[in-house]
Every structure is written in C-alpha cells, then in structure tokens.
Amino acid sequence: MADELHGAAEARLAERDQRYTANRRAIVEVLAAQPAPATLPALLRARPGLSQSSTYRNLAALEDAGVVRRVVAVGEHAHYELAEDLTGHHHHLVCVTCGTIEDVTLDASLEHRLEQAFAAAAAARGFDLGGHSIDIEGRCRECR
C-alpha cells in the first residue's frame, strides 16, 4: 500500500512538473498515519525535522497536485488529509467549538442512496456530478 501511495503521489506531482522530494514524502507518510485530518502544528510535532514554512509550501504543492485535501474547520489552523481517492471515501464530523475533525464512514446502503439523490439533483440542473463530501457540524464529546 505504501509503495502505491508514494507512486501515486510522485506521478501526480510529475504531471505538474513537481518533484516528490524527501520532505513531501515525509508529509505524505505522516498524513497516512493520522487517524483524522491533521493541522500543520500536528504534522510538525509528528515529524520534528520538518520546518514550518517548507511544510506549508509543500502542503500547497501536494494539494495542487491532488495528493492532499484541505478540510476547512473552525479555529486558526486548516486541517489536511490525503486525497480521498488515495485512501477511501469518508465524511467528517466537525466540532464547531474546538475545530476537532473526525473521519466517519457511512454504511454502504446509505452512501448509495445519497449518491443517487445527489446524482438526481445534479442531473436536474444539467450538472455533471464528480463526487461528494459531507462535513457534519456539531459539538464533540469534550465540548458538549
């Protein structure tokens, strides 16, 4: 799996004339090991050798190449995760108080019904559906 992930990341960067550097590889490895989207400070704690400015620039390049996805939440830091097509389809529980984000996977039958509903809504408007993402907002266990 790791070899496939790194191969995909390298190929996506190459399509944009970007290199898959050691720091970019380290970021991908850290994100792959995270149970949920991670903030820049969390990435830096997980891999102390990375510098903040370099990591931020590399996250932007990885996002532009479709390797990383930025998840918007409340708080002062964006959260980052590997692109869904590299890891598997899921949604997020987002705490509107503290900004914590947790991955959640819906059961296949519910996901199928949602996909059908989204496809019908898109078709009715002449929209070509590419996929969907759902962020469920509320308050986490600690903030309740």
Side-chain angles (χ1 to χ4, degrees):
M1 173 72 171
D3 289 341
E4 290 176 22
L5 175 61
H6 290 300
E10 185 172 21
R12 290 178 187 194
L13 285 161
E15 288 174 3
R16 287 165 177 75
D17 296 322
Q18 297 280 325
R19 293 178 331 130
Y20 193 41
T21 64
N23 282 347
R24 290 175 181 172
R25 184 180 183 93
I27 292 167
V28 168
E29 288 173 355
V30 170
L31 288 173
Q34 300 300 308
T39 62
L40 178 62
L43 294 173
L44 297 174
R45 281 191 303 275
R47 194 63 66 97
L50 296 172
S51 75
Q52 182 171 335
S53 60
S54 173
T55 300
Y56 189 76
R57 283 192 306 275
N58 282 321
L59 281 167
L62 290 165
E63 184 180 6
D64 182 57
V67 175
V68 168
R69 176 177 176 250
R70 183 176 8 170
V71 181
V72 179
V74 299
E76 59 188 75
H77 298 289
H79 290 71
Y80 298 90
E81 66 182 359
L82 293 175
E84 189 172 86
D85 63 321
L86 298 174
T87 60
H89 184 68
H90 63 277
H91 303 287
H92 301 110
L93 298 172
V94 180
C95 180
V96 298
T97 302
C98 70
T100 298
I101 299 175
E102 185 177 332
D103 288 348
V104 62
T105 303
L106 304 176
D107 94 28
S109 64
L110 175 56
E111 194 67 55
H112 180 71
R113 290 192 311 274
L114 285 171
E115 195 66 39
Q116 287 178 318
F118 295 148
R125 291 161 183 84
F127 188 82
D128 184 24
L129 181 66
H132 72 269
S133 61
I134 298 173
D135 292 337
I136 304 162
E137 297 177 349
R139 292 188 311 156
C140 69
R141 183 174 293 121
E142 288 76 28
C143 293
R144 278 191 305 187

